[in-house]
Amino acid sequence: MPRQPATKGESKSVRNLVLVLGDQLSTSLASLGAADRSQDLVLMCEVAEEATYVRHHKKKLILLFSAMRHFAIELEALGWRVAYTRLDDAGNAGSFSGEVTRAVGRHKPERIIVTEPGEWRVLEAIRGWSAKFDVPVDILPDTRFISSNGDFAAWADGRKQLRMEYFYRDIRRKTGLLMDGDEPSGGQWNFDHDNRKPAKADLFMPHPAHFQQDRITREVVALVKERFADHFGDADPFWFAVTRADAEAAFDHFLATGLAKFGDYQDAMVLGERFLYHSLVSMYLNCGLLDPLAVCRKVDAAYRAGHVPLNAAEGYIRQIIGWREYVRGIYWLKMPDYAASNVLGHTRALPDFYWTGDTQMTCLREAITQTKEEAYAHHIQRLMVTGTFGLLAGVSPQALHEWYLAVYADAYEWVELPNTIGMSQFADGGLLASKPYAASGAYINRMSNYCANCAYDVKARTGAKACPFNALYWDFIARHAPLIKSNPRMAQMVRTYDKFDAAEKARIKDSAAQFLKSLA
Ligand code: FAD
Ligand code: DLZ
Ligand code: SF4
């Protein structure tokens, strides 16, 4: 049983103060590499401001606070002195700036060292500390990413379109992952055309590894239930990994049970099957318990050993060294203005059912209910169910951004914001996505068995019983035709809409309006 981390650093003199944030739980951190464990003091703090700037899902709070407490113990075992402030400690100042103020007053360090944070908001605060405390502050690059912000800016410079595929190929070359000399393994960079199979409910579905709670986690569960009772989501059952060893075990379990079919079924959705062949490791990668490159090397090795097919290995590695790195590059290239992007001018309030799952639409009810219970939904549920519905209904991208940031255990602004604003809502006008992810109910019907179990008729375009995605989709095409008709991937849909007769167009408009009215 691990012991509790110290709540106060020893009073011995301190040279540098090394601030380690809750999503920096990696021993390879640049700030730790620049510090000296015999003279420097690590500061870690649980603070109310981070827990409440959006009302994070209870499971995310439990994961982070427990993983932070375990990481402090790991650091102490490695010989670091750690000053750890728990959320309920007397005198907790409630914010990073407040806790650093206390630590600077107590220890009078010569310098503060920190690895760059994952959010613009926090970076802005840290940039003010040197003047505020009259102590130099070293902000070091986050070397846990393969591409630095400077590398991405250099890649983006002068390009008209920032397409992920070309960025991804460069990272393949840089890392040697799935490369045979200068050529991609199998002679192709991308096997996505093999990866669009709808899963059948009677396939064998693996389940993610579950972990027992230890004393630290049980205390954190109680703390979060008491302090954050009004936050979205269920605290129980909590079975996530909270240590590096368990996160690695979770990934190894996926490697053995899920990876081989990841490619084939990554876009599939099945009623009652919440995880399918997905890995559920974004929450560990994003808080530092897993190293992205190490994970990809294991996948590469599994392919080379003949344990998994190439379309699975390539599809999986692309998500991590491609999409994950790319969206982070976009975030730091385009912030702070990116957060306010709203090219389509959408302003509708977020429907209440995003918080309750109380809707007759089976696809949305499934995605939202599992989000509430698991703090997890897979990519296609986020993109093509909750995301597409928000897009078609004209919900404010900023309201959706706040929702996605609050409800998932893996959500941090650097990764969530470009996925929501750019990929899902097309609010950046196509910087990130080549077309809006607008689709009628036919897409969900093709990729899932939701529609066969829904109160609405996926084949009907208009009327009270028609799948709401259908009228909303054509209404979206009609509303945004001036903007999207010049997009080669959307022009055909605009032409199809134009061919509908006036009566059908009126029915579409009326059905969409009636449905949206019912949401209010
Ligand atoms: P798998 O399907 O097993 O994929 C493997 C890994 O690839 C993931 O763990 C993740 O690290 C990475 N990955 C896959 N797709 C993406 C992507 N589009 N962007 C970045 N990394 C990706 N991901 C987050 O980590 N945090 C978020 O807050 C987040 N918000 C999202 C919001 C929206 C609207 C959308 C459409 C996607 C969002 N994603 C986010 C991306 C993706 O949905 C999750 O990374 C994925 O569902 C995590 O589940 P998994 O670990 O089982 O992933
Ligand atoms: C997300 C989060 C939460 C909920 N709580 C804390 C915390 O109490 N202490 C901490 O150091 N970090 C926390 N985090 C992660 C930070 O919000 C994250 O480091 C910043 O958003 C920058 O990515
Ligand atoms: Fe969703 Fe429409 Fe299918 Fe119902 S019929 S599950 S609302 S796509």
Side-chain angles (χ1 to χ4, degrees):
M1 174 72 70
R3 66 202 166 83
Q4 290 285 3
T7 53
K8 303 230 170 5
E10 295 143 41
S11 52
K12 208 169 108 182
S13 80
V14 163
R15 189 188 58 162
N16 298 319
L17 186 69
V18 186
L19 176 64
V20 173
L21 306 179
D23 53 355
Q24 298 183 340
L25 309 181
S26 317
T27 48
S28 64
L29 215 53
S31 48
L32 292 172
D36 174 355
R37 64 193 82 185
S38 68
Q39 305 183 67
D40 298 339
L41 178 72
V42 172
L43 173 67
M44 295 181 69
C45 39
E46 298 168 10
V47 288
E49 187 170 286
E50 293 309 302
T52 57
Y53 74 95
V54 292
R55 285 146 58 97
H56 301 284
H57 194 295
K58 295 186 196 77
K59 280 198 165 76
K60 178 179 181 187
L61 294 173
I62 297 167
L63 167 69
L64 267 217
F65 293 159
S66 181
M68 285 173 69
R69 291 180 187 198
H70 284 91
F71 185 68
I73 292 168
E74 186 182 347
L75 287 180
E76 285 182 332
L78 292 169
W80 291 96
R81 277 192 295 158
V82 182
Y84 192 99
T85 311
R86 293 188 201 132
L87 193 77
D88 49 359
D89 277 350
N92 185 326
S95 66
F96 288 144
S97 295
E99 278 303 295
V100 172
T101 305
R102 290 208 308 154
V104 166
R106 212 186 300 134
H107 300 290
K108 314 256 176 317
E110 289 170 21
R111 316 183 75 78
I112 299 170
I113 308 178
V114 62
T115 300
E116 60 193 355
E119 297 199 3
W120 179 270
R121 167 186 70 85
V122 180
L123 181 64
E124 282 300 278
I126 293 175
R127 281 185 175 143
W129 286 352
S130 176
K132 183 175 163 114
F133 303 124
D134 200 19
V135 174
V137 179
D138 298 342
I139 306 175
L140 303 180
D142 193 338
T143 51
R144 298 172 300 170
F145 290 90
I146 298 159
S147 172
S148 71
N149 296 335
D151 291 344
F152 190 85
W155 173 81
D157 191 34
R159 285 175 195 260
K160 271 207 201 122
Q161 291 195 311
L162 303 181
R163 290 289 166 256
M164 194 286 291
E165 182 63 27
Y166 298 108
F167 170 79
Y168 162 61
R169 291 179 191 181
D170 283 356
I171 305 264
R172 286 271 293 277
R173 291 191 190 94
K174 187 168 166 181
T175 57
L177 283 162
L178 295 182
M179 294 295 292
D180 296 326
D182 293 338
E183 295 302 316
S185 301
Q188 251 172 255
W189 291 102
N190 184 316
F191 291 83
D192 235 6
H193 60 83
D194 296 341
N195 294 356
R196 296 276 182 268
K197 297 195 181 77
K200 296 196 178 61
D202 60 356
L203 275 176
F204 165 76
M205 306 275 180
H207 287 281
H210 285 207
F211 298 90
Q212 292 287 328
Q213 296 177 18
D214 65 7
R215 182 169 56 85
I216 293 177
T217 301
R218 284 196 298 275
E219 281 177 16
V220 170
V221 170
L223 173 77
V224 167
K225 281 183 178 172
E226 194 208 317
R227 285 283 297 269
F228 305 104
D230 58 343
H231 282 216
F232 175 76
D234 298 353
D236 297 320
F238 183 86
W239 47 261
F240 295 166
V242 292
T243 64
R244 184 174 328 287
D246 282 351
E248 278 168 7
F251 183 71
D252 291 345
H253 173 78
F254 164 72
L255 210 58
T257 61
L259 176 62
K261 294 213 168 83
F262 173 85
D264 289 351
Y265 299 118
Q266 77 186 84
D267 289 1
M269 296 173 281
V270 178
L271 205 65
E273 287 290 343
R274 297 177 164 185
F275 310 113
L276 295 123
Y277 298 93
H278 292 273
S279 62
L280 268 91
V281 295
S282 47
M283 58 186 156
Y284 308 136
L285 290 166
N286 296 352
C287 73
L289 292 183
L290 284 180
D291 174 45
L293 198 51
V295 157
C296 291
R297 296 233 181 273
K298 281 189 178 178
V299 173
D300 182 295
Y303 161 66
R304 288 182 196 284
H307 297 154
V308 297
L310 184 53
N311 72 310
E314 189 283 316
Y316 193 81
I317 285 178
R318 174 156 32 88
Q319 306 311 314
I320 295 188
I321 64 170
W323 281 112
R324 187 171 183 272
E325 295 275 333
Y326 168 82
V327 296
R328 177 176 182 263
I330 296 276
Y331 179 80
W332 288 109
L333 190 69
K334 294 295 173 187
M335 281 298 279
D337 298 344
Y338 198 67
S341 310
N342 192 358
V343 162
L344 299 176
H346 287 169
T347 54
R348 184 175 303 282
L350 189 74
D352 279 352
F353 67 73
Y354 273 70
W355 298 111
T356 61
D358 186 10
T359 165
Q360 300 271 30
M361 291 179 280
T362 298
C363 52
L364 281 148
R365 190 174 61 243
E366 281 287 297
I368 294 164
T369 304
Q370 78 170 71
T371 298
K372 182 170 164 291
E373 292 175 5
E374 316 283 1
Y376 178 82
H378 70 67
H379 185 65
I380 292 301
Q381 293 176 304
R382 298 187 206 194
L383 184 65
M384 300 305 296
V385 178
T386 48
T388 293
F389 183 85
L391 176 72
L392 300 182
V395 175
S396 147
Q398 284 65 39
L400 284 158
H401 155 52
E402 196 170 316
W403 185 78
Y404 283 108
L405 190 57
V407 303
Y408 291 113
D410 59 19
Y412 299 88
E413 201 178 78
W414 64 266
V415 53
E416 175 279 325
L417 187 78
N419 268 299
T420 304
I421 294 287
M423 189 187 298
S424 163
Q425 298 303 304
F426 205 71
D428 63 5
L431 177 78
L432 197 148
S434 56
K435 73 173 191 58
Y437 278 94
S440 68
Y443 174 84
I444 293 176
N445 195 30
R446 189 162 64 248
M447 297 314 299
S448 77
N449 61 357
Y450 293 158
C451 304
N453 297 278
C454 183
Y456 292 105
D457 177 2
V458 71
K459 303 275 186 220
R461 191 182 290 148
T462 56
K465 279 288 165 201
C467 165
F469 278 74
N470 293 343
L472 289 176
Y473 172 72
W474 290 110
D475 193 51
F476 174 91
I477 300 288
R479 280 186 287 129
H480 294 298
L483 188 87
I484 59 179
K485 69 178 174 205
S486 56
N487 182 317
R489 300 184 65 195
M490 296 299 286
Q492 177 57 43
M493 301 324 286
V494 177
R495 282 196 293 273
T496 304
Y497 175 80
D498 284 344
K499 285 185 196 141
F500 292 155
D501 62 26
E504 181 65 356
K505 285 179 179 168
R507 279 192 294 274
I508 287 171
K509 195 167 181 207
D510 185 56
S511 278
Q514 291 296 332
F515 177 77
L516 291 173
K517 204 166 138 205
S518 77
L519 291 181

